[in-house]
C-alpha cells in the first residue's frame, strides 16, 4: 500500500513537472539572478523586464495561434518594419501628415493586410506556411527598404506616450501585452473558434470530418498573427521613437523560441498563452540579468540557446514518461 | 656590419625611389586622354537597405551625372553569391569599369577576380576585399574613427575636472571587421593618453541595432545610473541609448557619442542631446569611387589608396555636415 502511494506521488510530481515545469524554470532563473545581483531584485527592474519583452510577447501570442494549427509565421519581423514605417509617417511632429488616430490605426490595418495575404495563400491554395511566410518575409522587407531607407524620426510626444509612459508604476506597453494575453486566452479557452484552432492543429482530417471549416480557421490565425504584429509595431515604434526599414530582423526567431520554450508543439494542437508568455519572460529575464552581470553577448547567446534546448529536451523526456 | 649598412642604404634608396615614383605618377604632367564614347560604370553596392549605403548610392549618382557617365547599379544585399552573380552580369553587359563595394573581406575576392579575368578594371570603395587586382581603393581607415572617439574622450576627461570617469561602450557585431578596427583605434588612443586607468568602461555588444542599443543601455542603467558618458560604435546604437537615457530620467547628465553622422544624429547634436559623432563621408567615398573610375579610363595614374578622412562633429561645426547629409541622405 505504502509503496503504491509512493509510486502515485512520484507520478503526481512528474505530472506537475510536465504541466508546470516551465514556471519552475522561470522561477529558478529569477532566483539565481536575484541571489547574485541585488540590483536585479528591484521593482523597477522587474517592470523593465516586462517592458523589454512587451513587443516580443505580443508578437509571440499571435505566433502561438499559427503554431497551434501546425502552421508558422516567419514574416512577423518584416511586417513589423512595414507597419512601423506606416505608423511613423502619421506620427511625425511638424509633418503635414500628422494624425494621431491614423498613426495608431494604420499599423494595425497594415498588420491585418499582411496577415490576410499570408492567410489567403496558405488557406486558399493550401501551400505550406513555412514556404509562404518565408516568401513574404523577403517581400515585406524588400517593400520596407524600397519604400523608405532612412529612418523616420521626430515623432510627436503624444504618440510617444504609447511606448514611453506609464500608468502608475506600470509601463503602457506592458498593459498592451497583458490585454493581448487576456484577450487571446479568452479566445482560445472560452470560444468555439478557440476549440477549432486546437482541433485543426490536433488532427486536420478529423476536424474537417467534424464539420469545421479548416480553411477559415487557418485564414483567421494568420489574421490574428498580423494583428498582433501591427500592435507590436505600434508599441515598438513609439517606444524607440523612430521607425526603420531594418527593424524587427530576427523577431520571428524570438517569437518562435518563446512559444516553443513555453511548450508549444510545432506539429500543432499544443500550447497555451500563459506558457508562451513565460517562454518570452525566460528569454527576457536572461537577457536583462546577463547584461546586468556584464556577461558578453556571445556568452549570452550560448546561455540562451542552451536554455531553449534544455526546455525542449525536458519537455520531450517528460512526455515520454507521461 | 658594413654589409648590413649597405643593405639598409640600398633599401632606403629603393624606398625613396618608390616614393618619388608615386609622386611623379600623381603629378599632372601627362595629358589625360578624352573619353571617346559615353563610358558605362558598373556599381556593386554592399547592401542598399542601410541608410549609409543608400547615401553612398546617391553620391555615386550625383557624380555620374556631373561627369556624364552612365551607371549600371546592383545590390548584393550582403550576400556574396548574389554579389558575384551581379558582377558577372555587369561584365556580360561590357561595362568599362567596375566600382565595387565589397560585402565581405574574403568572400568578395571572387567578384574582383571575375572582373580581372574579363579584363575590366576594378575600383573599390568604402568596403575593401582582401585580394584580387584593383586600380585603387577609395575609402576610410576605420581605425581612425576609433581614434577620434578616443580623442573626444581625452578632451572630455580634461574638461570634466574629475579624476576618474565611468562610461558605457556599445560595440557592434562580435568579430566584425569594422567593430574590431574601431575598438582598436579607441583603446590605443586611450592608452596613449594614459587614460586606461582613469576611465572605467562597461562594454556590451548591441549589434549596431537601435532597439538593442536601447534595451542594453536600459539594463545597464537599471543596475547603476552613475555614468559620465556613453560611446557607441555607430549612430543607431547611440540613438537607441539616447531613448534609454531619457527614459531613466538622466537627460543631459551623460555625454553621448556615436559614429556615422546620420542626419538624425546631426540634428540631435545641434539641439544638444548628443555630444558628438564621428562623420564618415558617403559623399566623398561615393563620388570618389566614380571619379576614380573615370580618371582611370582617361589614363590618369592613381595611387593605390585614396583615403577619405573621418571628422569629429560637435555642436560648433555641425552645420557644414548637415549640408553634406542633406545632399545624400534623401530617400
Amino acid at each position: 500500500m505504502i509503496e503504491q502511494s509512493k509510486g502515485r506521488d512520484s507520478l503526481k510530481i512528474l505530472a506537475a513537472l510536465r504541466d508546470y515545469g516551465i514556471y519552475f524554470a522561470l522561477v529558478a532563473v529569477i532566483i539565481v539572478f536575484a541571489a547574485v545581483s541585488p540590483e536585479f531584485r528591484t521593482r523597477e527592474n522587474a517592470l523593465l523586464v516586462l517592458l523589454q519583452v512587451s513587443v516580443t510577447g505580443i508578437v509571440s501570442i499571435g505566433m502561438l495561434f499559427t503554431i497551434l494549427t501546425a502552421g508558422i509565421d516567419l514574416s512577423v519581423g518584416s511586417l513589423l518594419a512595414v507597419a512601423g514605417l506606416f505608423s511613423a509617417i502619421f506620427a511625425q511632429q511638424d509633418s503635414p501628415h500628422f494624425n494621431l488616430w491614423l498613426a495608431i490605426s494604420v499599423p494595425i490595418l497594415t498588420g491585418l493586410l499582411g496577415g490576410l495575404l499570408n492567410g489567403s495563400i496558405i488557406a486558399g491554395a493550401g501551400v505550406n506556411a513555412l514556404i509562404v511566410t518565408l516568401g513574404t518575409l523577403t517581400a515585406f522587407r524588400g517593400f520596407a527598404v524600397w519604400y523608405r531607407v532612412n529612418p523616420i524620426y521626430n515623432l510627436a510626444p503624444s504618440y510617444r506616450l504609447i511606448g514611453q509612459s506609464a500608468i502608475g508604476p506600470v509601463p503602457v506597453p506592458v498593459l498592451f501585452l497583458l490585454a493581448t494575453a487576456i484577450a487571446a486566452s479568452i479566445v482560445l479557452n472560452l470560444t468555439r473558434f478557440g476549440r477549432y484552432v486546437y482541433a485543426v492543429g490536433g488532427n486536420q482530417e478529423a476536424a474537417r470530418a467534424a464539420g469545421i471549416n479548416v480553411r477559415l480557421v487557418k485564414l483567421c490565425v494568420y489574421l490574428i498573427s498580423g494583428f498582433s504584429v501591427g500592435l507590436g509595431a505600434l508599441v515598438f515604434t513609439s517606444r524607440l521613437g523612430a521607425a526603420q526599414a531594418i527593424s524587427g530582423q530576427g523577431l520571428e526567431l524570438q517569437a518562435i523560441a518563446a512559444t516553443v520554450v513555453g511548450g508549444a508543439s510545432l506539429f500543432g494542437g499544443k500550447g497555451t498563452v500563459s506558457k508562451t508568455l513565460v517562454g518570452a519572460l525566460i528569454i527576457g529575464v536572461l537577457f536583462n540579468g546577463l547584461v546586468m552581470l556584464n556577461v558578453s553577448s556571445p556568452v549570452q547567446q550560448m546561455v540562451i540557446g542552451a536554455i531553449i534546448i534544455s526546455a525542449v529536451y525536458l519537455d520531450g523526456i517528460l512526455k515520454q514518461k507521461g | 656590419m658594413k654589409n648590413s649598412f649597405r643593405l639598409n642604404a640600398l633599401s632606403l634608396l629603393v624606398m625613396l625611389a618608390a616614393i618619388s615614383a608615386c609622386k611623379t605618377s600623381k603629378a599632372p604632367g601627362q595629358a589625360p586622354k578624352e573619353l571617346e564614347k559615353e563610358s558605362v560604370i558598373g556599381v556593386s553596392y554592399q547592401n542598399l537597405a542601410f541608410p549609409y549605403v543608400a547615401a553612398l548610392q546617391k553620391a555615386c549618382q550625383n557624380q555620374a551625372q556631373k561627369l556624364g557617365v552612365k551607371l549600371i547599379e546592383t545590390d548584393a544585399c550582403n550576400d556574396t553569391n548574389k554579389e558575384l552573380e551581379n558582377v558577372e552580369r555587369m561584365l556580360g553587359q561590357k561595362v568599362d569599369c567596375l566600382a565595387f563595394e565589397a560585402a565581405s573581406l574574403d568572400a568578395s575576392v571572387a567578384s574582383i577576380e571575375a572582373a580581372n579575368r574579363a579584363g575590366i578594371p576594378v575600383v573599390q570603395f568604402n568596403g575593401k576585399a582582401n585580394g584580387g587586382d584593383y586600380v585603387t581603393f577609395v575609402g576610410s581607415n576605420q581605425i581612425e574613427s576609433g581614434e577620434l572617439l578616443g580623442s573626444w574622450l581625452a578632451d572630455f576627461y580634461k574638461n570634466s575636472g574629475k579624476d576618474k570617469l565611468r562610461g558605457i561602450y556599445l560595440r557592434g557585431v562580435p568579430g566584425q571587421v569594422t567593430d574590431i578596427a574601431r575598438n582598436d583605434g579607441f583603446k590605443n588612443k586611450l592608452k596613449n593618453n594614459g587614460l586606461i586607468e582613469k576611465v572605467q568602461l562597461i562594454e556590451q555588444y548591441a549589434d549596431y541595432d537601435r532597439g538593442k542599443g536601447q534595451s542594453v543601455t536600459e539594463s545597464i542603467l537599471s543596475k547603476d545610473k552613475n555614468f559620465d558618458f556613453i560611446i557607441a560604435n555607430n549612430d543607431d546604437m547611440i540613438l537607441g541609448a539616447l531613448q534609454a537615457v531619457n527614459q531613466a530620467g538622466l537627460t543631459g547628465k551623460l555625454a553621448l557619442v556615436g559614429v556615422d553622422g546620420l542626419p538624425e544624429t546631426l540634428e540631435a547634436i545641434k539641439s544638444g542631446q548628443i555630444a558628438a559623432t564621428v562623420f564618415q563621408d558617403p559623399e566623398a567615398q561615393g563620388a570618389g569611387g566614380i571619379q576614380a573610375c573615370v580618371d582611370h579610363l582617361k589614363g590618369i595614374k592613381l595611387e593605390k589608396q585614396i583615403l577619405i578622412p573621418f571628422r569629429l562633429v560637435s555642436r560648433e561645426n555641425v552645420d557644414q555636415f548637415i549640408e553634406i547629409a542633406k545632399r545624400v541622405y534623401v530617400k
Side-chain angles (χ1 to χ4, degrees), chain A residues 39 45 48 52 145-146 149-151 153-154 164 239-240 242 244 246 287-288 291-292 294-295 297-298 300, chain B residues 49 51 54 174 202-205 210 214-216 218-220 222-223 236 243 247 264 267 329-331:
Chain A
E39 297 88 359
N45 194 53
L48 175 62
Q52 289 180 337
V145 173
W146 169 79
V149 175
N150 290 317
Y153 54 99
N154 274 342
Q164 299 185 345
R239 175 163 137 70
L240 194 58
Q244 293 173 290
I246 50 170
F287 169 78
N288 175 271
V291 169
M292 274 194 159
N294 203 19
V295 173
S297 105
Q300 285 176 33
Chain B
I202 300 289
E203 211 171 302
Q204 277 287 337
Y205 289 100
R210 192 181 298 208
Q214 180 182 29
S215 45
V216 166
E218 281 170 347
S219 289
I220 295 173
S222 174
K223 184 184 182 192
D236 262 322
Q243 296 295 331
Q247 279 295 97
E264 197 175 349
E267 284 170 33
Y329 287 95
V330 286
K331 199 187 166 199

Side-chain angles (χ1 to χ4, degrees), chain A residues 274-290:
Chain A
S274 54
K275 285 185 186 173
T276 298
L277 272 189
V278 172
L281 274 172
I282 288 179
I283 298 169
V285 166
L286 282 171
F287 169 78
N288 175 271
L290 292 170

